[in-house]
Structure formats: structure tokens, C-alpha cells
Amino acid sequence: MLKVENLTCQIADRVILKDLDLEIKKGEISVLMGPNGSGKSTLAKLLMGHPECEISKGKIIFQGKNITELDVTERARKGIFLAFQHPLEIPGVNFRSYLRLAFNSMRSKKEQLPVFKFRNLLQEKAKLFNIPDKLLNRNLNEGLSGGEKKKMEILQMAILNPKLAILDETDSGLDIDALAIVFENIAKLKSQNPDLSVLIITHYHKVFTYLKPDRVNIIYHGTIVETGDAALLDKIEKNGYKQYEEK
Ligand code: ADP
Ligand code: MG
């Protein structure tokens, strides 16, 4: 469903991603791993259409269409969702209103929901993920703990119902209990929606006790250097990334 071909991009003349190829199939849980600074967040943002890194070569194909030139909103409408490494706090923006706006902006007039119907949908999903009502009434991420922010992101995902969810170090800054809750919620969402493809960016092996990956991609210096099944995780845990250093 997603194919990245030969993608090369630069920030201020410095090449960040180079001839990068990546494929994610429908319903697959894919992992992207690599050392700090290897380009993981840059790739995540590029897939979502945040134009920080300027593409000089290659393309991004999503569900058979070339989306390289589409902006963030258009990609969100097509079903791509990015959970940021550091979710922004937006004081004064109410979570419910924000999410209803996002939800409706992706739907035709006929499919849009009025306040009370949206409220029911949100309540139902929040219950499923054990999110207390009081969190729904807060402003977007304002004053939330790291774990609460990540929980709210999974809730947003459940409401917006994407086809491809990209999770950029969703585990970063979480203690083990919060991590368990967040990844169990992702597993729950995935089990309700088997066609959902997930790209998990992480360093943390513990994540894979909650979610079993179908495919593992290793990124090193801005390019995918190895792709394999879950066994690749053990190889990385044992040998690290040094093995990919060019002579
Ligand atoms: P990762 O997420 O794998 O840790 P990033 O994608 O954040 O890596 O960064 C890849 C490289 O791009 C790093 O060398 C980083 O310094 C550089 N980079 C990222 N964003 C910017 C920016 N806005 N300006 C300049 N360099 C950047
Ligand atoms: Mg990063």
C-alpha cells in the first residue's frame, strides 16, 4: 500500500535521506530502526508531507497513486496519520473541538458528525481505551503527562481511522507501565482494524512483546541497509548498528 522509491532529500544542501527504498503492505506491522540521526524522523515527516527536507529524487506511492507532491491535509484525507515523537501542546484549543474538526474535515458533508453524535463516538472509543472523561475535556495536550499525551494520540488515531499509522518513537519518555498501556491500545486498535498498516519507529525492544512486527527495516545514514522479518530484531540487539558501517 506504501512504496517509497529512491527517495533522496536534503536540508540546506546536506543530504539527509539517500536513495531510500521502503515498502509497507496492507495490514502489515513494520518497524523502522536505526541509530540517532539516521533519518527516521525525517522519513516520517516526509511520508506525512511536512516539507522540511527537500526532495530531489524519488517518489512516494500510496495505494497506487504518486503522493510525492501532495500536502499534509491531502495525505491525511487519503488515510496517513503521523504520531509525533514530541506531541505539541496547544493551549486554548479544546481536544474535543479539535478532533471533531479534524474528523469532519476528512469527510464529505454527508458523513460529517454534529457535536452530539461526535461526542458519542468519542465516548465510546475513549471507553475502549480506558481514557477517563476528564482527559477529553482538556485542551490539546496541555499539561498532560508523557503517557497521557501518547494515549490521546492513539485515541485520535482510533477516531480518524487511518490506513497507515506512523508512530515516531511513541515509546520515548514513557515508563514501563505507560508503555504497556499505549502499545496494548495500539494492538487493540489493530485487532479491530486488521487492514491498518503500522510503521513503528523505535529503539526499544520491549515494544515487541506487545506488537509483533511482520517486517523490520534498518536505516543507517539515511538509507535502508537491511530488511527482514522479526529475527532481524535479535540480530540488532546482539550486534548493534556497527555492522552497517562502510569500510
Ligand atoms: P532520527 O530521527 O533518526 O534520530 P532525524 O531524521 O531527526 O534522525 O535527523 C536526521 C539528520 O538530519 C540528522 O543529522 C539531523 O541533524 C538532521 N536534521 C534533521 N532536521 C534538521 C533541520 N531542521 N535542520 C538541519 N538538520 C536537520
Ligand atoms: Mg527521531
Side-chain angles (χ1 to χ4, degrees):
M1 62 126 47
L2 179 89
K3 241 184 175 163
V4 176
E5 292 173 4
N6 245 329
L7 199 67
T8 300
C9 76
Q10 45 257 333
I11 299 178
D13 288 338
R14 188 174 148 225
V15 174
I16 306 291
L17 300 179
K18 193 170 181 298
D19 295 327
L20 184 141
D21 290 314
L22 178 76
E23 187 175 1
I24 300 174
K25 297 220 162 92
K26 186 167 158 181
E28 244 184 17
I29 297 181
S30 286
V31 174
L32 179 66
M33 291 182 112
N36 279 331
S38 55
K40 303 182 296 296
S41 295
T42 301
L43 176 61
K45 283 184 254 178
L46 263 188
L47 293 178
M48 191 70 239
H50 292 280
E52 190 174 41
C53 202
E54 197 187 329
I55 297 177
S56 57
K57 214 172 88 188
K59 56 186 173 187
I60 304 169
I61 310 286
F62 184 64
Q63 299 193 298
K65 297 219 166 63
N66 187 340
I67 61 161
T68 320
E69 302 293 328
L70 297 189
D71 67 22
V72 178
T73 314
E74 291 167 315
R75 292 187 203 199
R77 280 209 184 105
K78 287 197 177 297
I80 303 180
F81 178 95
L82 170 62
F84 283 107
Q85 186 166 356
H86 307 288
L88 291 177
E89 296 197 17
I90 311 191
V93 173
N94 174 263
F95 176 78
R96 287 177 192 277
S97 320
Y98 155 79
L99 193 54
R100 191 172 75 90
L101 201 72
F103 178 89
N104 282 340
S105 74
M106 290 182 192
R107 278 166 180 73
S108 67
K109 268 267 174 320
K110 259 193 2 225
E111 303 165 317
Q112 294 182 357
L113 292 183
V115 173
F116 70 99
K117 280 200 175 155
F118 184 76
R119 180 173 282 262
N120 293 344
L121 175 70
L122 189 58
Q123 227 85 347
E124 176 201 318
K125 296 285 184 199
K127 209 163 159 193
L128 181 70
F129 296 119
N130 298 313
I131 294 173
D133 267 8
K134 65 175 196 320
L135 277 187
L136 304 179
N137 296 327
R138 299 277 281 272
N139 287 334
L140 192 56
N141 287 326
E142 195 182 3
L144 301 192
S145 72
E148 286 170 337
K149 283 182 194 170
K150 302 291 163 104
K151 262 185 168 176
M152 296 301 268
E153 285 215 308
I154 306 307
L155 178 61
Q156 289 182 41
M157 219 165 96
I159 296 281
L160 298 178
N161 196 21
K163 296 187 174 75
L164 169 66
I166 305 164
L167 307 168
D168 190 1
E169 301 206 27
T170 293
D171 46 307
S172 79
L174 298 190
D175 61 38
I176 191 78
D177 296 332
L179 182 114
I181 292 170
V182 167
F183 279 88
E184 277 163 12
N185 281 349
I186 296 169
K188 222 184 252 180
L189 188 65
K190 176 73 185 123
S191 71
Q192 287 202 329
N193 189 354
D195 284 349
L196 172 69
S197 305
V198 185
L199 178 63
I200 301 175
I201 299 176
T202 188
H203 291 295
Y204 198 41
H205 286 256
K206 192 82 190 154
V207 162
F208 307 116
T209 51
Y210 307 104
L211 276 182
K212 294 275 170 270
D214 301 296
R215 201 195 284 247
V216 178
N217 303 282
I218 309 299
I219 185 171
Y220 198 83
H221 289 326
T223 196
I224 301 291
V225 286
E226 190 169 3
T227 294
D229 60 16
L232 190 47
L233 294 170
D234 299 329
K235 187 175 154 193
I236 295 297
E237 181 142 52
K238 237 200 268 143
N239 304 328
Y241 299 111
K242 276 266 160 26
Q243 53 184 315
Y244 301 112
E245 193 68 64
E246 306 106 312
K247 281 129 256 171

